[in-house]
Amino acid sequence: MAEPGRSGTTTAPRAGADVARRAAGSAAAGCALAGAVAVTVAVVAGPGPGFSGYVSESGIAGGAQAATYRIGILALAAALLLIGAALPPGVWAAAPALLATGAVFTAVSGAVTCSAGCPLPPFERATNADLVHGGASIAATASVVFAMLTLAVSGPAGPAVRRLAGVTAALALPLCATAGLAMLVVGRGAVVGVLERLVLVLLVVWGLATATVLALDRRPARRL
């Protein structure tokens, strides 16, 4: 026979954890939306070269929209951390770890600005800051895509989260590969600029959609 009060002592902490995860999901959705709006405003309002340049050019130190861009990037980094915190228990530990890694590299890419034009090898001479910024941006994107792949096959994540992760990863992987190849073959230009924006839009939409699903998830956490 169960001891009186035992059910309450085990259910209450679990219910509290569920509420905390939903709150983290709501905060993640807010950060993702705010970050996306801020970066979009910086890119559209800034004096950048349009689709022929990189999104990061809006954050060049001294630029009119540099602060707006940097705030947006940091908000997106926070969204990644919060999505990891909102994931249900039992999800493969690699997923929140990869999201945290992506958040760190995203923050680094926002903190370390590139020089004018955000030059990258092999066609342009890059400074150390350019290399750090570019490397952090690539690492952040890779970490998030690998987190998607992990979530896509992690049962406890739930069907909606797995489906979102699988579909987005299937779209993002070929775009990332094509963008990387284009950077090596043709360099900076409209092709790379468009591909970069498509990848970023996919990642932001995934983050916002996943955060919303996690915020609205009323399923009780499974006992492990």
Side-chain angles (χ1 to χ4, degrees):
M1 184 174 178
E3 295 178 16
R6 170 166 293 188
S7 175
T9 59
T10 57
T11 303
R14 213 182 318 148
D18 290 341
V19 171
R21 281 191 292 274
R22 289 196 294 271
S26 297
C31 285
L33 181 59
V37 169
V39 172
T40 300
V41 168
V43 172
V44 172
F51 288 105
S52 62
Y54 296 112
V55 169
S56 299
E57 293 183 51
S58 301
I60 294 174
Q65 300 298 323
T68 303
Y69 173 84
R70 202 162 293 120
I71 290 170
I73 292 296
L74 292 177
L76 292 174
L80 292 176
L81 278 178
L82 289 165
I83 290 172
L87 292 173
V91 169
W92 287 3
L98 284 166
L99 288 171
T101 301
V104 171
F105 280 119
T106 299
V108 171
S109 75
V112 181
T113 58
C114 54
S115 58
C118 291
L120 288 174
F123 296 102
E124 300 168 299
R125 179 174 296 178
T127 66
N128 289 335
D130 293 326
L131 295 175
V132 170
H133 173 84
S137 299
I138 293 169
T141 301
S143 297
V144 176
V145 172
F146 282 125
M148 291 178 193
L149 292 172
T150 304
L151 287 172
V153 295
S154 185
V161 171
R162 292 201 310 272
R163 196 158 44 243
L164 279 168
V167 171
T168 309
L171 294 172
L173 279 171
L175 283 174
C176 289
T178 305
L181 183 62
M183 289 174 68
L184 294 174
V185 175
V186 299
R188 181 175 182 271
V191 172
V192 173
V194 169
L195 289 171
E196 180 201 29
R197 284 161 174 76
L198 287 175
V199 171
L200 293 177
V201 167
L202 271 177
L203 298 188
V204 170
V205 169
W206 170 81
L208 182 57
T210 300
T212 302
V213 168
L214 292 170
L216 298 176
D217 187 7
R218 297 287 174 175
R219 298 174 306 146
R222 301 192 321 179
R223 182 179 293 179
L224 302 178

